Amino acid sequence: MSAPRLEIDLKKIHHNARTLVERLAVHGISVTGITKATLGSPEVAKTLLEAGVSTLGDSRIKNIERMRNAGVSAPITLIRSPMLSQIEQVVIRADISFNTELDVINALSSAAQKMGRTHGIVLMVELGDLREGIMPEDVESIVRKTLELPHIEFKGIGTNLACRSGVSPDAKNMGELSALADSVDKTFNLTMDIISGGNSGNLEWALNGDMSGAGIGRINNLRLGESILLALDPLNREPIDGLHTDAITLIAEVIESKVKPSQPWGDIAQTAFGTPSPITDQGDISQVMLALGEQDTDPEGLTPPPDIEILGASSDHLILNTGDNRPSIGDEIELQLNYSALVRAMTSPFVDRVIT
Ligand SMILES: *Cc1c(COP(=O)(O)O)cnc(C)c1O
């Protein structure tokens, strides 16, 4: 098989998704399965649906097109604000989009009208992480204008934390979203379908609650990507209990395997990627090189097998200390990925993707 390659174990992804769907269902929370880190893989999308996610979500219209072209007909939400230059594709391919700008919502309405379709809108609210979102005090006026637009269905509100600034979901900000849901419903005499509380960073809050006893309030949906694919809690990158952390692994091939000194020699200047980090002298070591580098993944986000240490990386090479075991040329090494390494590998044309 060719290397480097991502091996994607659909059974493990199914187990992870199913487990989280069941744990959240107890709290009345549905799961939107987020496919963006898999480039909108139709196989992963189908697996998530079989595991019980209620809808799919992706940040890129190209990924949504890929899933549609492969016959995925479940509801899909575009979870990034649509670009004005892609409005038509959004209306054709996505059922719902997340929005924060009236100019965009107006354009979606016109496009939907022209095509004789209806497009759903979830308004994203800024609650402190300072990525996307309408400031809370401006939400009602935008809801009012959205409700007036033809061919637009106002579906609800959502928020996204723990991404740009690492703000954690808690009783306070989630309570604010719930209170906003109550006041919007009351002002406009409706009952919103969707109150989407956040991403994988919300799991701890949703499942374990907090000491304040505030409960989950009106939140009835979470959007999960990383927690399903990598089984990690993005707040602390700890594995989530009962889930497979190796549903997706990266396999790379050994191209050099030698005993070398651990210390470089000669005058030390900058490396290909900046300032070299200091190296502790361990005498001679088993220095093993993989055909894998910055052009394939984020080397900083890789975890090697036990007893193997990652020493460094360049565009095309990953350098390991393999301790007492010195692999042969052509051997393969399996690496675990964090989110950054996963998205880089998934989008690199040099890395194959193999479904297992
Ligand atoms: C990426 C993304 C998600 C999924 O985040 P994970 O941490 O992978 O669960 C959810 N919502 C939005 C708006 C996103 O951009």
Side-chain angles (χ1 to χ4, degrees), residues 66 75-76 104 117 143 186 195 227 231 244 263 275 320 337:
R66 181 174 171 210
I76 305 184
V104 176
R117 287 171 176 256
V143 171
K186 190 152 171 271
I195 320 290
S227 52
H244 298 293
Q263 283 281 26
T275 314
L320 310 175
L337 309 105

Side-chain angles (χ1 to χ4, degrees), residues 34 36 59 79 98 124 131-132 160 198-201 223-227 234 339:
I34 302 299
K36 68 186 185 204
S59 51
I79 61 169
F98 284 2
M124 294 298 276
R131 205 180 72 176
E132 74 273 44
N160 194 69
N199 54 46
S200 296
R223 312 172 303 269
L224 304 182
E226 179 170 357
S227 52
Y339 195 70

Side-chain angles (χ1 to χ4, degrees), residues 150-162:
H151 295 259
I152 289 293
E153 201 173 336
F154 173 57
K155 289 288 194 184
I157 58 175
T159 195
N160 194 69
L161 298 173

Side-chain angles (χ1 to χ4, degrees), residues 229-308:
L229 300 172
L230 299 178
L232 297 179
D233 180 336
L235 296 185
N236 51 22
R237 297 271 139 69
E238 294 287 329
I240 299 171
D241 232 24
L243 268 53
H244 298 293
T245 53
D246 59 350
I248 306 181
T249 55
L250 182 59
I251 314 290
E253 186 175 325
V254 173
I255 54 170
E256 186 183 295
S257 180
K258 295 189 186 302
V259 174
K260 290 195 184 184
S262 49
Q263 283 281 26
W265 61 92
D267 280 339
I268 307 291
Q270 294 240 323
T271 71
F273 289 88
T275 314
S277 31
I279 294 169
T280 35
D281 194 354
Q282 306 177 59
D284 282 356
I285 56 167
S286 289
Q287 179 178 305
V288 168
M289 209 149 62
L290 303 180
L292 183 79
E294 298 272 359
Q295 293 202 72
D296 307 285
T297 188
D298 175 7
E300 299 266 335
L302 299 174
T303 306
D307 304 328
I308 295 184

